[in-house]
Amino acid sequence: MTKRLAEVAKKAGVSEATVSRVLNGRSGVSEATRTSVLTALDVLGYERPTKLRGERARLVGLVLPELQNPIFPALAEVVTGSLAQRGFTPALCARTIGGVPESDYVEMLLDHQVSGVIFAGGSYALTDASHEHYRRLTERGLPVVLVNAGVDDLGFPRVSTDDAVAVEQAWGHLRSLGHERIGMVLGPEGHVPSSRKLAALINVAGAKAAGINAAGINTAGINVAGIEVAGGEPLHVERSSFSMEGARVAATKLVERGVTGIICASDVLALGAIRAARRLGRAVPADVSVIGFDDSAFMTCTDPPLTTVRQPIETMGQAAVDILVSQIEEARVLSDELLFEPELVVRGSTGPAPAR
């Protein structure tokens, strides 16, 4: 007990006597000090006394799918900084292969009486994943915000990049460079942002296929091999896990089919596509142009520097925090999706289509 008091006191920057007064519910402690002590208790992983467990901590969970993709640390930096400015303590939960699953993180956050949770790239973006842990958050009435597109029936506010605009920008850029055979490397089946990008590709490519309404298309289960764009050209789309290795396999198939411009659903996939082109003896961008998505860190340092569609991560992260805090403060928040326009950043991985 003495060790616990000392640790909490050090974390909160107060005396052990003050910590004891807070834990025993005694008077004579300011509200700010009381909040600091309880937050320190939560951050250190200690259980609150029974009489204090009904109160939520000023602790907010940020659940990320990984930290290897630089876009997620960039989002974490924005969100944690914005939360701290608003008087909240962020609790970062990053999943790893073979590590703690998202549902377990949710249980841990609930046990710590968090005030709310921000998710990025979670199971909500996969149509075939379990969503039961999200429904538990709804049952608890816990404020939640999702970053980027997910399934429609969860009812949480969403802050997303406009995938349709991203594809329009990338496609238009490649077409302006003379590319006619343009392909795309997307995430796995059931990945909602990838499905949105595919729907946008079908629209901008002027696709035609029996029974497909490109204007409001639901791409789930569509066999893209049977879709043709204007002029009878087939739609060149390959699926991949979000890894360079998976992207290399997918992009190899595209290059072997004569594709000269590749649009990728992430920068990591784009780097895999560049590797695929080079292993086939093609030069980037002289033979194959590649466009990424995110504009994550160090994309100016690749060889060549990567042309990509930039997500407005800073604006989106701040918006996610604003919406979450509004919910915590019991302000009325609509469960609509806010769409933020991306920006095409042209660098050295795209160039004129090779002469036939």
Side-chain angles (χ1 to χ4, degrees):
M1 184 62 161
T2 302
K3 180 182 177 182
R4 185 177 75 167
L5 286 176
E7 289 181 351
V8 174
K10 182 179 178 180
K11 187 73 174 177
V14 298
S15 67
E16 293 182 30
T18 299
V19 173
S20 179
R21 295 181 73 87
V22 171
L23 298 182
N24 289 296
R26 295 175 185 167
S27 59
V29 180
S30 71
E31 188 60 33
T33 300
R34 183 172 176 276
T35 298
S36 295
V37 170
L38 293 177
T39 299
L41 199 73
D42 295 325
V43 171
L44 291 170
Y46 292 125
E47 289 189 9
R48 295 187 179 199
T50 303
K51 58 188 174 183
L52 299 177
R53 288 179 191 171
E55 302 179 25
R56 286 180 178 162
R58 288 184 70 81
L59 191 68
V60 170
L62 172 60
V63 183
L64 303 176
E66 58 168 311
L67 292 177
Q68 291 182 326
N69 185 334
I71 199 66
F72 293 115
L75 176 66
E77 183 178 3
V78 174
V79 170
T80 55
S82 185
L83 284 170
Q85 290 178 350
R86 306 292 287 269
F88 291 89
T89 301
L92 179 61
C93 304
R95 290 179 285 132
T96 58
I97 297 175
V100 179
E102 188 176 75
S103 57
D104 286 358
Y105 273 133
V106 167
E107 292 300 323
M108 292 164 60
L109 292 171
L110 288 173
D111 287 343
H112 281 83
Q113 298 288 329
V114 294
S115 296
V117 185
I118 295 174
F119 291 91
S123 301
Y124 64 87
L126 300 170
T127 57
D128 57 353
S130 172
H131 301 134
E132 190 58 37
H133 52 289
Y134 298 118
R135 295 188 175 91
R136 286 208 60 207
L137 296 173
T138 301
E139 292 168 1
R140 294 283 192 96
L142 198 71
V144 171
V145 177
L146 309 179
V147 178
N148 277 328
V151 296
D152 291 327
D153 63 348
L154 295 177
F156 298 133
R158 287 172 287 174
V159 174
S160 303
T161 300
D162 194 323
D163 290 300
V165 172
V167 172
E168 289 167 7
Q169 291 176 346
W171 175 271
H173 176 58
L174 290 175
R175 291 291 293 175
S176 72
L177 292 170
H179 293 273
E180 296 180 359
R181 305 199 83 182
I182 299 172
M184 179 173 278
V185 178
L186 296 172
E189 289 282 354
H191 181 248
V192 177
S194 290
S195 295
R196 289 187 174 188
K197 290 180 176 69
L198 176 55
L201 178 66
I202 292 171
N203 279 330
V204 298
K208 56 180 181 179
I212 294 178
N213 173 14
I217 189 169
N218 177 1
T219 59
I222 287 180
N223 178 11
V224 295
I227 302 176
E228 294 181 349
V229 299
E233 178 75 14
L235 193 65
H236 303 287
V237 176
E238 292 292 335
R239 298 278 187 174
S240 168
S241 61
F242 280 98
S243 66
M244 281 196 288
E245 294 76 13
R248 184 181 65 79
V249 174
T252 295
K253 297 176 182 178
L254 295 177
V255 175
E256 288 178 338
R257 293 206 296 267
V259 167
T260 63
I262 302 176
I263 302 169
C264 299
S266 78
D267 290 341
V268 172
L269 295 183
L271 296 180
I274 292 174
R275 181 178 296 179
R278 285 177 172 162
R279 288 195 179 183
L280 291 171
R282 309 302 205 278
V284 177
D287 300 314
V288 179
S289 289
V290 178
I291 299 179
F293 178 81
D294 282 337
D295 195 26
S296 46
F298 309 119
M299 292 305 104
T300 58
C301 304
T302 59
D303 180 24
L306 186 68
T307 295
T308 186
V309 180
R310 176 183 293 159
Q311 290 200 72
I313 287 298
E314 184 168 351
T315 306
M316 291 170 62
Q318 291 175 349
V321 171
D322 289 343
I323 293 171
L324 189 78
V325 172
S326 293
Q327 291 181 81
I328 292 171
E329 296 175 350
E330 299 184 352
R332 185 170 179 267
V333 177
L334 298 176
S335 58
D336 294 336
E337 181 177 23
L338 295 182
L339 290 178
F340 289 80
E341 185 163 331
E343 175 188 1
L344 178 69
V345 181
V346 178
R347 299 192 182 107
S349 66
T350 52
R356 290 189 173 183

